[in-house]
């Protein structure tokens, strides 16, 4: 059942949530998505605190650094 479903399967005990079971593919996709959300959150905090750089300047510096 876990392998056929693209969603987690919720197991209850006495009417309350107890466990979640999911296939590895669903788990890995969920973890990748969570990592993207974390990266977005970090980026938003950096923007709010002013930790930003002009993209053109940053790319120029990177090209010089790596000889591109």
């Amino acid at each position: 059942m876990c392998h056929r479903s693209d969603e987690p399967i919720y197991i209850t005990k006495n009417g309350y949530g107890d466990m979640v079971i999911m296939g590895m593919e669903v788990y890995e996709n969920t973890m990748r998505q969570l990592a993207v959300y974390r990266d977005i959150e970090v980026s938003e905090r950096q923007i709010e605190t002013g930790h930003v750089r002009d993209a053109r300047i940053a790319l120029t510096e990177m090209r010089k650094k790596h000889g591109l």
Side-chain angles (χ1 to χ4, degrees):
M1 191 168 146
C2 289
H3 296 289
R4 290 186 306 239
S5 176
D6 289 337
E7 299 289 326
I9 296 171
Y10 299 93
I11 309 236
T12 61
K13 182 177 180 182
N14 298 325
Y16 297 97
D18 189 47
M19 288 189 265
V20 177
I21 299 174
M22 62 180 79
M24 282 302 297
E25 187 175 329
V26 173
Y27 174 77
E28 289 170 352
N29 288 338
T30 302
M31 291 299 107
R32 272 193 295 275
Q33 191 175 29
L34 181 60
V36 169
Y37 291 147
R38 284 184 187 142
D39 290 344
I40 291 170
E41 184 180 355
V42 168
S43 297
E44 288 176 341
R45 269 191 261 123
Q46 290 172 337
I47 291 168
E48 289 171 2
T49 59
H51 289 96
V52 296
R53 297 186 62 200
D54 182 270
R56 288 185 182 97
I57 294 170
L59 287 172
T60 301
E61 292 173 0
M62 291 292 288
R63 287 185 183 114
K64 285 180 185 176
K65 179 179 177 180
H66 297 285
L68 300 174

